[in-house]
Amino acid sequence: MCQKDKKILVVSEVPFGNTTSSLIDSIVSANDKGKIKIRKIDDNTAENVEIIIHLAPNVSPDQTIDALYAFTNCEVSVSPNVCVIDKDKPRFLGVTEILKISTDNTVNLLKLELEIRKAELLEQWHFSSLEKIFIEKRIYRKIEECESWKEVIKAIDKGLNPYKKLFRRDITEDDIVRLTEIRIKRISKYNSFKADDLIKQTELEIDEVNNHLEHLVDYAINYFRQIKKKYSAGRERKTEIRNFDTIEATRVAAASQKLYVNREEGFAGTALRKFEYVSDCSDIDDIIVFRADGTYMVTKVSSKIFVGHNILHIDIFKKNDDRTIYNMIYRDGRRGAVRVKRFAVKSITRDKEYDMTKGSDGSKVIYFTVNPNGEAEIVKVFLTPKPKLKKLSFEYDFSTLDIKGRASQGNILSKKSIKKVVKREEGVSTLGAIDIWFDDTVKRLNTEGRGIYIGAFKSDNKILTIQKSGYYKLMTYEISNHFEEDMLLIEKFNPDKIISCIYFDASIKKYYIKRFQIENDNNLNKRIDFIGDSPENYLLAFSMDYRPQVLIKFDEKNNKKPFGDEIVNVEEFIGIKGEKAKGKRLSNKFTGEVVFIDPLPYISPEQTEDNSEVEGVDEPELEEKSESTIPIGQKKDTETTNQPENKKTPESEDKEDPGESQMEISFD
């Protein structure tokens, strides 16, 4: 399944056991039940499967993709039913067990092969050494006077006696017989140095085999890798390994219904259209309700259900949500102390009532707020006037209070009666940033530490991705985000970073280079093309360094004469422009290879100031150095500082390309 554009999804494969008709029926059924929102489905299947899904307006394609996997036959579970004969008995095995048994068998076979090879090498070493001694020590001459075969064997054995302790095994009669079979021609041409090299090579191979036997698992892993390398070409897998087990149905179900509440009578549901609107929801969502008496509950969404009187807050419940923090001030019992607490509700038992207070009779919630990102506000507390009570109000900062479990009693705020509590100042988040990783195997973000660490995110932080097709995207750090297959870069977005890119302009068949900074605007999830509109343009390389350098190797054949390699200081070659600017042609000559090389050292303004204080750098030198650096955050002003004044190269003397900005130079 892939996303053609923001309104169309394309299904190009059908899971095992399904047909296009059954798959379409399951999608239509999910739409009828409100699990997904689609406008229509077109079946364009011919030789290849092609099911076009048109989305309804204002529907997220990413969320719909997850919902299709969760609620339709776009993903099916296939349970293997494998029966094998094990020890003369039938046995049913799962895939994991089959793979384990197969791997163990392979490891045992590899071990056996290594042991056989070791025995062969030892035998080769043994006879090579035996032959070397037999010839070098001229033991063969001792058989000249022998009159019988037994005397020959005995003479050779006696001649080898001084050297038997050098061998790794006993010398047998078969070994001696084999020595007698050596031809005179071989003895006459015998080379002692070659024999030494052969024995040394054999010893090295024996050591290598011993090392493989000692590290058998590593050897087996490399064996499988070599098989893949040797036979994988043309046999690449046609399916993708993706894990959809972590998709929560409640998070991806389409919010096709609306939740309402009747506070007077204590009812909530999707059928109470005349009353207060709460939020959009799906029919598989849960709702959480907090009441003024200090109790709360979670129940399933329905058309109409009684949730209790004196409702303080009602909303869709998100399971395992540790970011939404509830700040509360309550009175313990009818005359007890006033307590304050902060807590999260991660998981509960549906339709069971829980108490936010100590449970004393007559307890009452005085102040209650819901904070989606753990905000902690400052409130002003007004006490009930009494004789001899001088201070009638005071302020309290919720950020001084730790977040605890929902069953905590809270801290004592005051033992005096409180008249009212007023929010004095909006709070900021007291939660730490969320650590986000990217799992390249499944192309998903996660918080479990799988894959590449992206960074710590909070509030309005964003993720930047750059695609091979020549566009970038700014995205939120939602775990449910989808990412393109041709993604070259994913990182935490830093608006101060400068992107330098080299691309091929197909209209004039030349390489262009440009530098730009991404504006931190609200264009989330939009594909921003930065290499031109022509479909034949392509991105060659990019760099996120502050002072990059480019190595250009020229095509000697097309240029009809040799040119030396050229290194371009990108900072001086072109200024920072907008993402839509065409950029500047790298060279008017025919180029063979263009690559980014190690960048020039970058000195930040802060580092420069520190150097002047510690090392005593003179002011004129400091100013001269700062001109060649790019201060973080500098944008349009950098264009003039980066371009050398009154300096022209042969390329810069040509006229401008039409449509480029005033500072851009190109060639005919």
Side-chain angles (χ1 to χ4, degrees), residues 135-190:
I135 296 174
E136 281 188 349
K137 304 304 179 183
R138 301 181 180 226
I139 297 174
Y140 58 85
R141 288 192 171 185
K142 296 184 179 182
I143 66 175
E144 292 176 354
E145 304 296 330
C146 296
E147 297 180 354
S148 65
W149 178 251
K150 287 186 178 180
E151 288 180 1
V152 170
I153 299 298
K154 188 175 180 180
I156 295 174
D157 186 52
K158 185 177 179 181
L160 293 172
N161 277 337
Y163 311 105
K164 286 184 177 179
K165 60 184 179 181
L166 302 175
F167 292 89
R168 303 189 183 189
R169 69 168 177 84
D170 294 336
I171 298 173
T172 65
E173 186 175 339
D174 291 338
D175 295 332
I176 297 174
V177 171
R178 191 174 173 187
L179 287 174
T180 63
E181 295 173 354
I182 298 175
R183 296 183 179 184
I184 297 298
K185 183 179 180 180
R186 204 166 144 205
I187 293 175
S188 64
K189 290 186 177 182
Y190 186 76

Side-chain angles (χ1 to χ4, degrees), residues 190-234:
Y190 186 76
N191 189 325
S192 178
F193 294 108
K194 286 185 178 180
D196 289 338
D197 289 342
L198 177 61
I199 292 171
K200 189 175 182 181
Q201 184 64 33
T202 305
E203 288 175 344
L204 290 174
E205 196 169 346
I206 290 171
D207 291 339
E208 183 182 1
V209 172
N210 285 331
N211 182 64
H212 290 332
L213 286 169
E214 291 174 2
H215 304 88
L216 191 57
V217 173
D218 294 334
Y219 177 75
I221 292 172
N222 187 61
Y223 168 79
F224 284 116
R225 285 175 177 164
Q226 292 303 317
I227 289 179
K228 181 180 179 182
K229 182 179 180 180
K230 185 176 181 180
Y231 299 105
S232 62

Side-chain angles (χ1 to χ4, degrees), residues 572-585:
E572 295 179 353
F573 187 73
I574 184 172
I576 301 173
K577 303 282 184 181
E579 59 202 17
K580 294 299 182 181
K582 186 169 185 177
K584 186 175 180 180
R585 192 182 302 180

Side-chain angles (χ1 to χ4, degrees), residues 262-277:
N262 181 350
R263 295 183 183 272
E264 281 188 29
E265 298 182 7
F267 286 95
T270 57
L272 308 177
R273 302 175 186 271
K274 297 181 180 179
F275 298 95
E276 179 186 341
Y277 167 76

